[in-house]
Amino acid sequence: MTIELEQLPYEMDALEPYISATTMEFHYGKHHRTYVENLNKLIKGTEFENMPLEKIIQATQGKPEYTAIFNNAAQAWNHSFFWHSMSPNGGGQPKGELLKKIERDFGSYEQFRADFKNAALGQFGSGWAWLVEEDGKLKVMKTANAATPIAEKLKPLIAIDVWEHAYYLDYQNRRGDFIEAFLDHLVKWK
Ligand code: MN
């Protein structure tokens, strides 16, 4: 069994002008593809070869001898989740139950937006910011490099990739502008 690079849920240029087709061609077409290809090479002939991606992540988390497998597996999963956290018609606050939960756990949507932006801006170096559910309560968190909340069995709702490759072609050093574009124009609430 090999882990497949899944299709993007939209066209390469669908998120323009907020994320360019050029960024998507590199980010999905090169970075994400390479994580999947490296993972398949690393797990070939190992105990991980026939595991689903989530199981590989949970089985290799925190084990120094499997760091390369963990990093590539977690990045493969994180990127798929990130693509599904966005939509060409996205952005703004969610509706219904999810909005009520955000207001319950953050006080207001504006407070959630500020907390999420701070987490994504405050991730020093490469990593991710997330809205996750833990024991029924929503919280914002950030993770470094490939680290992923699913390794901790938390349930992510949305993620933003804040590695420089996610925004540098479109925003250069202006990570904050990229985060605001994600929240206000791209985020896809489920
Ligand atoms: Mn990335």
Side-chain angles (χ1 to χ4, degrees):
M1 194 175 90
T2 51
I3 304 292
E4 302 283 341
L5 177 68
E6 68 170 270
Q7 286 287 317
L8 272 182
Y10 32 72
E11 299 297 318
M12 291 278 191
D13 62 358
L15 305 182
E16 289 191 343
Y18 307 107
I19 297 179
S20 66
T22 306
T23 289
M24 292 303 294
E25 280 156 14
F26 279 95
H27 198 180
Y28 169 75
K30 308 276 187 203
H31 289 276
H32 188 180
R33 178 182 302 279
T34 301
Y35 293 128
V36 173
E37 288 175 356
N38 284 345
L39 176 63
N40 281 317
K41 283 181 207 151
L42 287 162
I43 61 177
K44 196 165 194 289
T46 73
E47 65 194 280
F48 306 110
E49 190 169 14
N50 293 310
M51 282 186 193
L53 194 50
E54 289 85 346
K55 291 272 180 238
I56 297 173
I57 292 165
Q58 286 159 3
T60 56
Q61 146 94 336
K63 296 185 178 156
E65 66 274 34
Y66 298 131
T67 298
I69 294 178
F70 174 81
N71 283 339
N72 284 282
Q75 282 295 78
W77 192 92
N78 289 350
H79 281 85
S80 291
F81 193 80
F82 176 48
W83 309 136
H84 286 278
S85 293
M86 298 185 288
S87 138
N89 312 311
Q93 63 181 37
K95 296 186 175 68
E97 276 304 299
L98 183 54
L99 180 60
K100 281 190 200 143
K101 279 190 181 178
I102 285 176
E103 288 169 346
R104 181 194 67 195
D105 295 338
F106 295 92
S108 65
Y109 174 78
E110 289 68 32
Q111 187 61 52
F112 154 75
R113 187 182 178 284
D115 288 359
F116 188 87
K117 187 181 173 192
N118 284 340
L121 260 183
Q123 173 52 42
F124 187 79
S126 295
W128 299 80
W130 308 82
L131 176 66
V132 301
E133 191 169 340
E134 182 176 29
D135 300 327
K137 194 170 167 11
L138 299 182
K139 67 173 191 177
V140 163
M141 64 185 288
K142 59 189 179 188
T143 60
N145 300 315
T148 178
I150 67 156
E152 320 287 342
K153 305 204 169 152
L154 298 174
K155 184 184 162 202
L157 280 79
I158 57 166
I160 183 171
D161 185 343
V162 292
W163 286 55
E164 283 189 346
H165 67 222
Y167 61 89
Y168 216 83
L169 293 174
D170 298 327
Y171 297 89
Q172 294 78 47
N173 60 317
R174 292 174 285 112
R175 187 191 283 191
D177 290 354
F178 167 62
I179 298 161
E180 291 192 350
F182 172 86
L183 285 165
D184 297 339
H185 301 286
L186 297 174
V187 68
K188 183 187 178 190
W189 298 107
K190 282 141 197 129

